[in-house]
Amino acid sequence: MATPPRSEVGVFDEQRERLRSRYLKAEDARPPSSGRGLHHAALVSSDVERTIRFYQDQLEFPLTELFENRDYPGSSHFFFDIGKR
């Protein structure tokens, strides 16, 4: 991925600052989250075994399922237990 020109980077910086000032609240001013856990997250991995070892051995999230991605033959879907939801 190419680095965007400095003029575009400035636009991104301005946008982030606008979003921060509009939406980001101090911790003691934030409402409680309605979330009760994470259902799933989709991530891209170039090395399935390395990814499994990282999540299972380093983060201690046990592998719960592994199967071929029906949308892209030859690729894999894999799932980890990341705690109660």
Side-chain angles (χ1 to χ4, degrees):
M1 177 180 253
T3 304
R6 184 65 206 151
S7 59
E8 286 184 30
V9 172
V11 171
F12 297 142
D13 291 340
E14 291 170 10
Q15 181 183 31
R16 270 191 300 276
E17 188 52 42
R18 180 181 60 77
L19 293 170
R20 273 189 206 99
S21 64
R22 183 171 182 179
Y23 296 106
L24 189 60
K25 295 178 172 52
E27 187 173 352
D28 61 349
R30 290 180 205 149
S33 174
S34 64
R36 297 297 173 254
L38 178 69
H39 180 269
H40 77 277
L43 307 171
V44 176
S45 169
S46 62
D47 187 329
V48 173
E49 184 173 1
R50 183 176 176 198
T51 301
I52 290 170
R53 287 194 321 259
F54 174 75
Y55 279 90
Q56 189 159 267
D57 300 343
Q58 300 298 313
L59 299 180
E60 299 180 345
F61 297 159
L63 182 69
T64 61
E65 186 66 76
L66 173 66
F67 56 86
E68 185 176 44
N69 178 353
R70 68 176 176 244
D71 298 325
Y72 190 66
S75 67
S76 299
H77 272 278
F78 42 104
F79 299 83
F80 301 90
D81 181 349
I82 61 171
K84 304 283 186 231
R85 55 178 181 99

